[in-house]
Amino acid sequence: MAEAAVDSPMEVVQAAADEAMSDEAGLGCLVSLPGELLEYILCSGPLAATDILRVASTCRRLRELCQSSGKVWKEQFRVRWPSLMNHYSPTDYVNWLEEYKVRQKSGVEARRIVASFSKRFFSEHVPCNGFSDIETLEGPEIFFEDELVCILNMEGRKALTWKYYAKKILYYLRQQKILNNLKAFLQHSDDYESYLEGAVFIDQYCNPLAGITLKDTQAQFDSIVELVRKALRGLNSRHPSLTFKAGRSSMVRELDLQGQVLEAMNYVLYDQLKFKGNRMDYYNALNLYMHQVLTRRTGIPISMSLVYMTIARQLGVPLEPVNFPSHFLLRWCQTTDRANLDIFDYIYIDAFGKGRQLTVKECEYLIGQHVTPALYGVVNVKKVLQRMVGNLLSLGKREGVDQSYQLLRDSLDLYLAMYPDQVQLLLLQARLYFHLGIWPEKSFCLVLKVLDILQHIQTLDPGQHGAVGYLVQHTLEHIERKKEEVGVEVKLRSHEKHRDVCYSIGLIMKHKRYGYNCVIYGWDPTCMMGHEWIRNMNVHSLPHGHHQPFYNVLVEDGSCRYAAQENLEYNVEPQEISHPDVGRYFSEFTGTHYIPNAELELRYPEDLESVYETVQNIYNGAKKETTE
C-alpha cells in the first residue's frame, strides 16, 4: 500500500488559504483550528517572511496570529539571525516584524558598503575616513556587525574579497567600541582596582574578532579558584576562604591562613595546571593577552602576576602589584599594623618563577641591580596597563618591514588613549601613517589627520620643530603627487616588452632557494626596485641579474616579497596561501590557483586566460599521466 504524501506546513496553510479565496467554508475550516496549532504550523517548516505576509493577508484570524510582536515573527527573526537573540531580554516588548525589517535593511546596506571597498581602496590601505559611511549608518550597529559576521562565515573558498573587507570593517567597529569603553574605564578613581577588567580591554582591542568577554574570562578564573579551594580543603577543611561567595569582596586576616591559600595556589597553578613563565618565547605578544595566557598557561612576569593576584584576591589574600624594573612582582604584607610600613614589611612574590617568595635582597639579585625603595611601591590599574601596553609597543616596533604594523598601530592607540600628550609617540604615529601610505584616493582626510597630530606636537613641545617640519613638508609633497597621479596602470601580456614574463597572477609558486609557497599578485618585466635594494638583496649575483621579470608574491608566512623569475617554479601540489591580504587581490581559490578580483583583473586583463592554460598543462596534464 502506497504511503500518503505528507504536505509541508506551508503547503497546508497555502492550500487552505487558496481554498478559502473561493470557498468560505474552507476559510472557516482553517480558522476553526486551535490557535496553538495554527501558530505551530506557522512557526514550523521552511516558511519565509514573504509567506507569512501572504498568510496574514488572508483573513483576520491569521492576521491576528501573525501580529508583529507575536511568536510567528519572533520565530522568523530567530531562524534567520539566531545569534542576535542573545541581545533581547525575555521580558522586553519587541516588535519582531519591525526588527526583521530593520535587520534586513542593515544587511543590504552592509553588503553595499563591503562591495564598494575593493573598488575604493584596492590600491592602498583603508584610510581613517574610509569608515565614514559606516559611522553614519541608521539602525542598530549590532545588526550591521551581525551581517559582517555572516559574510565572514560564508562557506567555501569563494567571496574572499568580501570576507577581506568585511573583516577590516568589523575590526574597526569593534575597536572603536572597545576604545570608548577603555576611556570610560580609565575615568574611574585610583582606588578602583579591577586589574582584570583593564587587562581584558587590552586583549579585546588587540584581538577584536576573537569574541573575548570579561564574563568568559572571569569564568575561567572561577574554575581555577574552585580547583584551589579543593586543594585548600585538603590543607584545612575549615578554612574561611572555602565559604567565600563569588563576586563578593572578602579578606582573610590571619597570615598563616593566607599562607595556606598561597600554598594551595602554587600547587594548582604550577604543579596541577602546569602554568609557567614563557622563557623560550618571551618576546611574543600572546604572552600579554589574558585569554591566551589562560589557554596556553604561560606568560611573562606582568601577565602571570595578574593571574596570580586575581586568584589570590578572590580567595581573600590582598596581594598588590609592584612595578619592579625588568621583572613585575607582587607583594604580600607580613604585618597587620598598616601604619609606618616599609619595604621590609613585605614578602615579594614572583609569579613568573612559580610563586617563589622573595626578600628585598633577593629581589635585587633577581634583576642584578640595587633599586630605590620607591620601586617597591604598589601601583594602580592605569600604571599596570601602561606597562602592559608599553611591552606591546616594544614588540610592535620589532615587527618586520613586510608586516602591516598592526600591533604597533594598536598599541599606539591604546597608549595614547591613556596618555594623549606623549610627544614622542605622537611623532611615531605620524611617521607610521606616512610610512604605511594610508592615503585615500579622492580626499585627504588622513593627510589632515597627520597635520593635526603634527600641530598638536608643536604645541606640546616646540623643540620638535625640526621633526615636525620634515613630516609636514613630506605630507604636503604627497598631496601634490596624488594630484598628478593618472589612472590605473594596465599590463598586457601581449605587449612586446612583456614577452619574457612566464608566470601569471593567481598561480601558486614555490621559491627554488628558500622553499616557501606563495601566490603571484603582480609582476614587472624587469626589477623596479631602487639601486640600494638591488645591492642589499644581491640581485647582481643572479645569472640574469635585475634584467628579468620580477613578481610580487604573498608568502605563506604572512610576508610580501619581490621574487626574481629564475627563483620561482610551479608548485606541483598547490595549496591555499594563509596570508591576510589574499582577499585584497583574489576572489576565489579553485584548488589549483586563485582567481583575481575585478580590481586586480583590470590591471592584468590578459593573465586569467594564461592561468587557465597553465593549469590545464601543469595540473590537469599531470593528473592525466597519473591516471594512465
Side-chain angles (χ1 to χ4, degrees):
M1 181 175 175
E3 290 185 307
V6 178
D7 293 330
S8 70
M10 185 57 218
E11 289 172 335
V12 172
V13 176
Q14 191 61 50
D18 291 341
E19 184 180 347
M21 296 296 290
S22 59
D23 186 355
E24 292 184 5
L27 179 61
C29 179
L30 178 64
V31 299
S32 65
L33 291 173
E36 290 184 359
L37 179 56
L38 275 174
E39 194 172 67
Y40 172 78
I41 293 172
L42 293 172
C43 289
S44 305
L47 293 174
T50 53
D51 299 328
I52 299 298
L53 290 172
R54 287 204 308 272
V55 169
S57 66
T58 306
C59 68
R60 179 183 296 177
R61 177 82 191 284
L62 292 175
R63 185 163 58 250
E64 289 174 353
L65 277 173
C66 299
Q67 60 180 304
S68 59
S69 59
K71 290 184 179 179
V72 175
W73 278 109
K74 180 179 181 180
E75 182 64 11
Q76 280 291 314
F77 190 94
R78 186 197 67 79
V79 170
R80 184 76 183 275
W81 303 292
S83 62
L84 289 176
M85 297 305 293
N86 297 327
H87 299 277
Y88 296 94
S89 169
T91 59
D92 290 344
Y93 170 82
V94 180
N95 186 327
W96 291 107
L97 174 57
E98 189 60 30
E99 291 292 284
Y100 191 101
K101 291 178 181 178
V102 174
R103 171 60 182 84
Q104 181 81 356
K105 182 179 178 181
S106 297
V108 172
E109 188 66 8
R111 288 175 176 265
R112 181 191 66 79
I113 291 175
V114 170
S116 73
F117 263 54
S118 183
K119 184 175 181 180
R120 293 163 61 193
F121 306 120
F122 175 80
S123 299
E124 41 205 319
H125 292 273
V126 180
C128 64
N129 70 318
F131 301 101
S132 57
D133 292 349
I134 302 163
E135 295 170 349
T136 58
L137 281 175
E138 298 180 1
E141 187 176 288
I142 189 64
F143 286 178
F144 189 80
E145 285 193 18
D146 186 65
E147 186 64 31
L148 296 175
V149 172
C150 289
I151 293 173
L152 288 176
N153 292 336
M154 291 169 64
E155 294 183 4
R157 297 176 288 191
K158 298 183 179 181
L160 300 180
T161 300
W162 274 55
K163 292 177 182 178
Y164 174 80
Y165 287 105
K167 184 176 180 180
K168 290 277 186 186
I169 296 169
L170 189 60
Y171 199 98
Y172 169 82
L173 286 174
R174 291 191 175 172
Q175 278 199 328
Q176 293 307 299
K177 189 185 303 181
I178 295 162
L179 198 61
N180 289 334
N181 292 338
L182 174 61
K183 289 177 179 178
F185 171 81
L186 293 171
Q187 297 304 310
H188 289 300
S189 59
D190 286 347
D191 58 355
Y192 184 78
E193 296 189 338
S194 184
Y195 295 91
L196 178 60
E197 185 177 357
V200 169
F201 277 130
I202 292 174
D203 194 351
Q204 289 175 327
Y205 191 80
C206 295
N207 304 281
L209 305 184
I212 300 159
T213 66
L214 178 61
K215 180 180 178 181
D216 291 343
T217 306
Q218 184 61 61
Q220 289 180 276
F221 275 101
D222 291 343
S223 64
I224 298 175
V225 168
E226 286 307 309
L227 291 175
V228 176
R229 283 202 175 104
K230 183 178 179 180
L232 186 58
R233 195 173 287 111
L235 294 174
N236 182 352
S237 61
R238 303 179 63 183
H239 197 285
S241 293
L242 300 176
T243 61
F244 288 170
K245 300 295 183 182
R248 294 185 181 180
S249 179
S250 304
M251 185 183 298
V252 176
R253 299 291 179 182
E254 294 80 3
L255 282 174
D256 59 334
L257 294 178
Q258 291 182 9
Q260 290 177 356
V261 171
L262 298 184
E263 182 182 347
M265 280 178 54
N266 288 343
Y267 167 73
V268 169
L269 284 175
Y270 303 113
D271 294 336
Q272 186 175 345
L273 297 180
K274 306 298 182 184
F275 274 81
K276 62 180 180 179
N278 196 347
R279 301 179 187 276
M280 299 298 293
D281 192 17
Y282 192 91
Y283 298 103
N284 187 330
L286 299 182
N287 293 323
L288 285 152
Y289 302 146
M290 196 54 61
H291 81 286
Q292 291 284 359
V293 173
L294 293 172
T295 301
R296 300 163 71 235
R297 299 182 182 181
T298 189
I300 59 174
I302 190 167
S303 56
M304 294 291 287
S305 293
L306 285 180
V307 170
Y308 198 96
M309 180 177 68
T310 300
I311 296 169
R313 288 189 170 196
Q314 285 189 224
L315 291 166
V317 182
L319 300 184
E320 299 172 304
V322 178
N323 207 11
F324 206 63
S326 304
H327 199 103
F328 202 89
L329 296 171
L330 300 169
R331 71 180 191 182
W332 174 28
C333 187
Q334 296 299 292
T335 176
T336 56
D337 181 11
R338 290 282 178 171
N340 302 317
L341 292 174
D342 63 27
I343 61 175
F344 298 101
D345 291 318
Y346 295 89
I347 283 178
Y348 300 88
I349 297 176
D350 178 15
F352 184 80
K354 297 190 174 183
R356 185 171 46 147
Q357 298 180 5
L358 307 171
T359 64
V360 170
K361 185 60 67 176
E362 288 171 331
C363 290
E364 294 180 351
Y365 287 149
L366 181 66
I367 63 172
Q369 67 181 77
H370 174 72
V371 296
T372 62
L375 294 176
Y376 288 90
V378 66
V379 287
N380 61 20
V381 175
K382 190 172 182 179
K383 288 294 183 182
V384 173
L385 299 187
Q386 178 188 7
R387 181 152 173 175
M388 292 185 75
V389 175
N391 286 338
L392 288 172
L393 192 59
S394 297
L395 295 175
K397 292 176 181 178
R398 296 159 62 103
E399 286 183 330
V401 295
D402 291 326
Q403 305 300 319
S404 66
Y405 291 94
Q406 190 64 58
L407 178 58
L408 181 57
R409 292 158 66 183
D410 291 344
S411 53
L412 275 172
D413 289 342
L414 289 168
Y415 207 105
L416 290 171
M418 293 187 285
Y419 302 97
D421 294 336
Q422 288 284 323
V423 172
Q424 292 303 320
L425 294 186
L426 286 166
L427 268 175
L428 177 59
Q429 189 179 55
R431 290 192 183 101
L432 186 60
Y433 279 132
F434 191 85
H435 170 75
L436 290 174
I438 309 179
W439 310 104
E441 292 181 340
K442 297 182 179 178
S443 67
F444 300 107
C445 171
L446 192 66
V447 175
L448 297 177
K449 178 174 176 62
V450 173
L451 293 175
D452 285 343
I453 294 172
L454 296 174
Q455 185 177 10
H456 184 49
I457 294 169
Q458 185 70 20
T459 303
L460 292 172
D461 186 359
Q464 297 291 338
H465 175 75
V468 170
Y470 174 83
L471 286 170
V472 168
Q473 176 186 347
H474 282 72
T475 302
L476 294 175
E477 287 176 357
H478 179 84
I479 293 176
E480 293 303 315
R481 286 197 300 272
K482 293 295 291 183
K483 290 179 180 178
E484 297 171 0
E485 283 184 3
V486 293
V488 174
E489 180 187 4
V490 176
K491 295 182 178 179
L492 301 174
R493 301 183 64 83
S494 58
H495 197 284
E496 177 64 21
K497 67 178 181 180
H498 299 151
R499 65 181 183 276
D500 294 330
V501 176
C502 295
Y503 307 130
S504 308
I505 58 168
L507 288 175
I508 309 297
M509 310 297 292
K510 193 177 192 70
H511 198 280
K512 296 178 181 178
R513 179 180 299 178
Y514 301 120
Y516 61 71
N517 299 313
C518 59
V519 56
I520 297 172
Y521 70 96
W523 49 258
D524 297 309
T526 60
C527 182
M528 300 300 290
M529 301 299 282
H531 295 297
E532 184 177 355
W533 185 91
I534 291 174
R535 183 176 64 254
N536 291 338
M537 300 303 292
N538 203 23
V539 173
H540 291 299
S541 66
L542 296 173
H544 296 93
H546 67 281
H547 296 297
Q548 63 175 308
F550 271 70
Y551 297 84
N552 301 102
V553 295
L554 302 176
V555 184
E556 58 192 346
D557 65 2
S559 64
C560 304
R561 305 192 186 184
Y562 196 50
Q565 180 165 283
E566 64 182 79
N567 282 336
L568 294 176
E569 62 183 356
Y570 295 118
N571 191 323
V572 295
E573 297 180 351
Q575 54 189 298
E576 282 190 89
I577 303 299
S578 320
H579 192 286
D581 283 345
V582 161
R584 182 177 178 181
Y585 303 101
F586 303 101
S587 60
E588 179 184 349
F589 179 65
T590 66
T592 56
H593 63 282
Y594 281 92
I595 296 177
N597 59 26
E599 286 67 38
L600 187 62
E601 188 175 5
L602 182 65
R603 288 154 175 79
Y604 298 89
E606 298 177 348
D607 272 41
L608 192 55
E609 183 179 350
S610 175
V611 168
Y612 290 147
E613 292 178 2
T614 300
V615 169
Q616 183 67 30
N617 295 332
I618 301 298
Y619 303 119
N620 295 345
K623 288 180 181 178
K624 184 177 179 181
E625 289 179 7
T626 302
T627 303
E628 291 175 352

